């Protein structure tokens, strides 16, 4: 018998949001881990709002705000306005964030303003650190063998915004700001009006674009990201960021005699970088660059078994970059300014780690 095309709603419903989420849904374990990390940040959250305890409307709970930012990354939602629209009708999003069915959805501008507070108080970095601590608690990190690499992030600014710093309307060769073809431009003489922190940069065969550079340090056991940061884009940024990150990892190792190794590609095969690694008591498992030059990496290191393993493991770092640029939409930053781009990149790496932790839990259940 043909069913009738009718729509009838019940006046009341006894079902909870949790009833609508399948027991095997991947977000369940991710939410548990995220909440465990957020619970460790209670003191930080209290300090963020202690100056606003008297009067005024209550702000968005920072835990809900961070979960909303995570869901935006995990489901590739391109803007806060679109995120708020989807939260309005998406029960899965409401459940993950912690909003009841009858709770009002935030205005996009209010959401963005509260996000700025998280960035100001380094809450995103703290969340990333707590996620890394979860991985360490689960014994998923070696703590001694690492890989490092960098990737380009396109700034949210166009070529036409890249104008002379002195305010001149024309370049030296007569080209106007609107017609830059054939004109000579550099970061020394020009700056973006849209995003002053962005730098004109090219790498390899890529075209010159306004960019930032993202860097990660991964643990070789499972490819989990243990350090992440964004810097200005220039030819020395990768090695300088690598030295900072591996030094932090070296300091975190309690056993000073433990061998710390660092895998990297040929771009890190520079004498000053290799020497810096040795000074930090880090064995540089850097790919040897022998194209018309002598490698700075000793042959005794390159011929070791550990070196071969590091060269194999270091390729895992590309998975994090690929995930952040496709799922997390970090191919082009949707925020402006070094600090904001850095925070969004770090949050992407935290989200990537949560996804990896869920996958690893299925492989080796506790």
């Amino acid at each position: 018998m043909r069913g009738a095309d009718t729509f009838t709603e019940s006046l009341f419903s006894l079902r909870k949001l949790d009833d609508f989420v399948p027991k095997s849904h991947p977000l369940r374990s991710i939410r548990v881990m995220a909440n465990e990390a957020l619970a460790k940040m209670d003191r930080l959250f209290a300090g963020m709002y202690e100056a606003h305890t008297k009067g005024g409307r209550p702000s968005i709970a920072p835990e809900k705000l961070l979960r909303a930012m995570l869901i935006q990354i995990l489901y590739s939602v391109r803007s806060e306005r679109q995120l708020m629209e989807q939260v309005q009708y998406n029960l899965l999003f409401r459940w993950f964030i912690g909003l009841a069915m009858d709770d009002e959805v935030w205005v996009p501008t209010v959401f963005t303003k509260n996000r700025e507070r998280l960035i100001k108080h380094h809450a995103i970095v703290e969340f990333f650190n707590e996620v890394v601590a979860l991985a360490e608690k689960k014994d998923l990190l070696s703590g001694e063998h690492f890989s490092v690499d960098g990737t380009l992030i396109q700034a949210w600014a166009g070529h036409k915004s890249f104008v002379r710093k002195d305010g001149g309307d024309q370049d030296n060769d007569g080209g106007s700001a609107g017609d830059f073809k054939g004109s000579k431009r550099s970061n020394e003489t020009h700056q973006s009006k849209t995003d002053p922190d962005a730098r004109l940069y090219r790498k390899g065969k890529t075209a010159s674009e306004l960019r930032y550079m993202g860097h990660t340090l991964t643990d070789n056991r499972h490819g989990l990201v243990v350090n992440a940061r964004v810097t200005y884009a220039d030819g020395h940024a990768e090695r300088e960021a690598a030295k900072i990150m591996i030094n932090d990892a070296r300091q975190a190792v309690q056993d000073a005699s433990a061998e710390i190794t660092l895998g990297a590609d040929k771009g890190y095969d520079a004498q000053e970088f290799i020497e810096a690694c040795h000074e930090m008591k880090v064995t540089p498992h850097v790919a040897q660059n022998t194209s018309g030059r002598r490698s700075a990496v000793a042959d005794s290191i390159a011929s070791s078994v550990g070196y071969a393993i590091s060269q194999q493991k270091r390729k895992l770092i590309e998975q994090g970059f690929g995930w952040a640029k496709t799922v997390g939409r970090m191919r082009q930053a949707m925020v402006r300014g070094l600090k904001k781009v850095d925070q969004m990149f770090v949050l992407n790496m935290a989200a990537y780690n949560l996804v990896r932790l869920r996958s690893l839990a299925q492989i080796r259940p506790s």
Side-chain angles (χ1 to χ4, degrees), residues 66-267:
L66 259 168
R67 285 194 292 265
M69 294 169 71
L70 277 177
I71 207 73
Q72 182 178 5
I73 292 171
L74 293 170
Y75 280 82
S76 308
V77 183
R78 68 173 181 266
S79 68
E80 285 80 8
R81 187 171 298 278
Q82 189 181 73
L83 175 65
M84 295 302 101
E85 178 185 336
Q86 293 197 28
V87 171
Q88 183 70 43
Y89 57 76
N90 193 317
L91 296 183
L92 177 66
F93 283 18
R94 281 181 172 265
W95 168 83
F96 186 87
I97 293 169
L99 293 175
M101 290 187 192
D102 298 328
D103 287 346
E104 290 188 12
V105 178
W106 313 302
V107 177
T109 52
V110 174
F111 179 86
T112 304
K113 185 177 180 180
N114 278 268
R115 184 189 65 188
E116 301 302 315
R117 182 175 291 169
L118 290 182
I119 294 174
K120 179 181 178 181
H121 291 272
H122 305 287
I124 292 174
V125 175
E126 184 65 24
F127 178 73
F128 172 85
N129 291 336
E130 290 298 340
V131 172
V132 174
L134 279 176
E136 188 173 8
K137 181 181 177 181
K138 296 175 183 291
D139 195 29
L140 295 174
L141 303 177
S142 70
E144 297 176 354
H145 306 293
F146 304 93
S147 294
V148 69
D149 204 355
T151 189
L152 294 176
I153 301 171
Q154 188 174 345
W156 199 15
H159 275 290
K160 291 184 178 180
S161 71
F162 198 61
V163 298
R164 294 188 63 85
K165 294 180 181 180
D166 58 15
D169 293 331
Q170 291 188 337
D171 293 314
N172 295 332
D173 55 3
S176 65
D179 183 16
F180 52 83
K181 291 184 178 180
S183 62
K184 295 181 180 179
R185 303 182 301 162
S186 71
N187 292 312
E188 286 70 30
T189 58
H190 291 65
Q191 188 178 48
S192 172
K193 293 188 298 182
T194 307
D195 188 352
D197 288 339
R199 296 291 183 268
L200 194 66
Y201 185 75
R202 65 174 296 176
K203 184 178 182 182
K205 296 181 180 180
T206 62
S208 294
E209 299 282 353
L210 288 168
R211 290 166 165 156
Y212 291 93
M213 190 168 282
H215 315 269
T216 59
L217 183 76
T218 58
D219 186 274
N220 283 356
R221 179 171 291 176
H222 294 293
L224 291 164
V225 180
V226 295
N227 203 327
R229 63 188 60 228
V230 170
T231 65
Y232 299 113
D234 63 54
H236 304 283
E238 286 187 285
R239 292 193 293 270
E240 292 303 316
K243 286 189 281 189
I244 294 172
M245 292 189 295
I246 193 60
N247 184 59
D248 291 344
R250 168 82 265 188
Q251 298 300 321
V253 178
Q254 296 180 354
D255 185 2
S257 62
E259 181 187 14
I260 305 298
T261 65
L262 179 66
D265 60 31
K266 293 181 180 180

Side-chain angles (χ1 to χ4, degrees), residues 69 115 124 330 335 340-348:
M69 294 169 71
R115 184 189 65 188
I124 292 174
M330 279 299 296
V335 291
K340 292 181 182 179
V341 176
D342 174 71
Q343 297 287 298
M344 291 301 102
F345 183 73
V346 171
L347 186 59
N348 264 267

